[in-house]
Amino acid sequence: MALTVRQMLLALGMLVTGSINTLSKKAQNDCTVVGRNGTAPHEFDHPWFQTLIMFIGESMCLYALLVLRYQERRELRKQLYSIQSVDEGVDPRNQLKQPRVFQIILIIPTLCDLFGTTLAGIGLLYVTASVWQMLRGSIIVFAGILSRLFLKRKLQCYHWTGISLTMFGLVLVGLSSVLQDEEAGYSSKTVLGIVLILSSQFISASQMIIEELFLKKRGFPPLQVVGLEGSFGVVIMSAIVLPILYHIPDSSAATHRYEDSIDALYQISNSTKLLIFCLLYLCSIAFYNFFGLAVTKSLTAVHRTLIDACRTMLVWLVDLIIYYAFDKNFGEEFDVTYGILQIDGFLFLMIGTAMYNGLMPVDFIPCCRDSSQMVPVSSSIDNEDEEGEDDNEASPLLNEKEPSYT
């Protein structure tokens, strides 16, 4: 079936905002700016502060939720005004169900989001944006294994085949990055970055499992989940995490503090370019979540998976264009020696993701020929309203909600 103009615009919006998300975050790290107290220019090395920016962006989804609820109440008032035209015995007030916004249980996935995003942000300091984006595809591997262990889901042959291909692609991507940086003499930092990114995806996959265990049956609206996680995150980061990290000494940092948020604010105020990157990052997070949820609702979650795969390619291409056409201080250089490994790794990641989501035929694999009916990993969202509680092992974690990619 052909996509409508609205659906194409939603997909394009998700692709663009998701790519801006990754590129603007990496561009912040590449900025060298004067900090507090006139310190020498140094890189914007503030991954924990970037997590705060992310939570601020997510909290904006709560505003969208309040706007939608207001529209629902306005529609109810219209029905009340015309209640005489309503069939006898039907009370419009019973048709409006708006549970309280504040849900304390959402602090649990918020903490997972906090540590997962921050570890990924630290890892981004040591690898390129394209490698970072590709390695985030490892969430499929961790989510599949954890769902098998804790949710007792039976993974089909094509699931395991997709996981295996994804793992092989991750090895190629990681190997290309390590070999490329080994010649520059800082391969150990690259390995550290890869380990941190993979660890962050393990935490993000754990977040998905926790959300499904505790939240799926409660039926929280997606905007409420994202908005509250962002709001809780802002409070936790501002009141607890950042003040503690500020008092931890770090001799390798420019201000000798592990996370100096005051220095981050000074750097942002001293550089218009850095300010623009931070605003782009904040806004892209809010709009990416909006477009992502809209795509899942208007199309399917499988379409969202494919768009994310295209996002990885777009990030890489834009990085190359920026480096060769505009500014070599930003973007990414293509390594002619090991770049082919990265391309091969990306292809395996694409194939593994498509196979895991049931988008590729697997009849050519002997052990998978019995899986004649392949169920896309998240497409069961389309039938959830008709079937009630969905027990499919490939069902989404929350109604119309998938993990945020930041």
Side-chain angles (χ1 to χ4, degrees), residues 176-192:
S176 68
S177 183
V178 172
L179 292 177
Q180 180 179 349
D181 293 337
E182 187 176 10
E183 298 180 355
Y186 47 86
S187 60
S188 59
K189 290 186 177 180
T190 303
V191 173
L192 175 61

Side-chain angles (χ1 to χ4, degrees), residues 234-255:
V234 170
V235 174
I236 295 173
M237 291 294 296
S238 303
I240 301 176
V241 177
L242 291 180
I244 292 177
L245 297 179
Y246 179 82
H247 290 90
I248 297 178
D250 184 3
S251 58
S252 62
T255 59

Side-chain angles (χ1 to χ4, degrees), residues 73-370:
R73 292 193 296 270
R74 187 175 61 180
E75 290 297 323
L76 176 61
R77 286 195 294 269
K78 290 181 179 180
Q79 293 182 32
L80 290 174
Y81 288 141
S82 59
I83 193 165
Q84 293 181 351
S85 62
V86 179
D87 293 340
E88 186 178 355
V90 178
D91 189 351
R93 289 169 292 186
N94 295 331
Q95 301 177 6
L96 182 62
K97 297 180 180 179
Q98 292 185 339
R100 61 187 178 91
V101 175
F102 184 82
Q103 300 290 342
I104 191 66
I105 194 175
L106 290 174
I107 287 183
I108 299 176
T110 298
L111 294 175
C112 292
D113 200 5
L114 189 158
F115 288 106
T117 301
T118 304
L119 287 179
I122 298 174
L124 184 58
L125 295 172
Y126 306 119
V127 300
T128 61
S130 62
V131 171
W132 184 79
Q133 187 66 49
M134 292 180 192
L135 291 176
R136 286 171 65 88
S138 61
I139 193 172
I140 289 179
V141 178
F142 296 123
I145 295 175
L146 290 177
S147 65
R148 179 68 182 88
L149 293 177
F150 295 100
L151 301 180
K152 306 302 180 183
R153 284 179 173 162
K154 182 180 178 182
L155 299 180
Q156 303 296 331
C157 175
Y158 65 89
H159 286 137
W160 290 113
T161 304
I163 289 175
S164 300
L165 291 176
T166 301
M167 292 178 64
F168 185 67
L170 292 171
V171 170
L172 291 180
V173 171
L175 183 62
S176 68
S177 183
V178 172
L179 292 177
Q180 180 179 349
D181 293 337
E182 187 176 10
E183 298 180 355
Y186 47 86
S187 60
S188 59
K189 290 186 177 180
T190 303
V191 173
L192 175 61
I194 293 174
V195 171
L196 289 173
I197 296 170
L198 294 179
S199 300
S200 74
Q201 296 312 290
F202 174 79
I203 296 176
S204 297
S206 301
Q207 176 187 348
M208 294 168 61
I209 301 302
I210 292 173
E211 286 175 339
E212 181 156 7
L213 285 173
F214 293 100
L215 304 178
K216 181 180 178 183
K217 293 184 180 180
R218 303 190 180 207
F220 296 143
L223 287 176
Q224 180 181 8
V225 175
V226 177
L228 272 182
E229 286 183 5
S231 301
F232 286 145
V234 170
V235 174
I236 295 173
M237 291 294 296
S238 303
I240 301 176
V241 177
L242 291 180
I244 292 177
L245 297 179
Y246 179 82
H247 290 90
I248 297 178
D250 184 3
S251 58
S252 62
T255 59
H256 304 290
R257 300 180 186 276
Y258 182 73
E259 178 60 70
D260 193 339
S261 300
I262 299 177
D263 179 66
L265 293 174
Y266 269 98
Q267 286 187 290
I268 293 174
S269 64
N270 291 332
S271 173
T272 303
K273 183 183 295 185
L274 179 58
L275 174 61
I276 293 175
F277 289 147
C278 290
L279 292 177
L280 283 174
Y281 180 56
L282 187 151
C283 295
S284 65
I285 288 173
F287 282 102
Y288 175 74
N289 280 284
F290 168 77
F291 282 120
L293 295 173
V295 166
T296 305
K297 183 176 181 180
S298 180
L299 296 169
T300 67
V302 175
H303 287 85
R304 186 170 182 175
T305 302
L306 294 176
I307 294 172
D308 262 321
C310 296
R311 170 190 173 189
T312 302
M313 183 183 300
L314 183 60
V315 166
W316 196 3
L317 291 176
V318 172
D319 253 355
L320 293 174
I321 293 174
I322 291 175
Y323 181 86
Y324 287 104
F326 296 99
D327 191 345
K328 294 187 182 298
N329 293 323
F330 299 92
E332 174 184 350
E333 181 183 10
F334 181 78
D335 185 81
V336 295
T337 306
Y338 304 110
I340 190 65
L341 287 178
Q342 190 171 343
I343 295 176
D344 291 340
F346 173 72
L347 292 176
F348 275 104
L349 286 171
M350 288 277 291
I351 295 173
T353 301
M355 189 169 291
Y356 184 86
N357 284 279
L359 303 177
M360 286 186 61
V362 292
D363 294 339
F364 61 92
I365 303 177
C367 64
C368 295
R369 288 174 182 170
D370 294 335

Side-chain angles (χ1 to χ4, degrees), residues 153 159 212 216 375-377 380 389-396:
R153 284 179 173 162
H159 286 137
E212 181 156 7
K216 181 180 178 183
V375 182
V377 129
S380 56
E389 183 179 348
D390 190 0
D391 295 327
N392 190 327
E393 69 270 19
S395 62

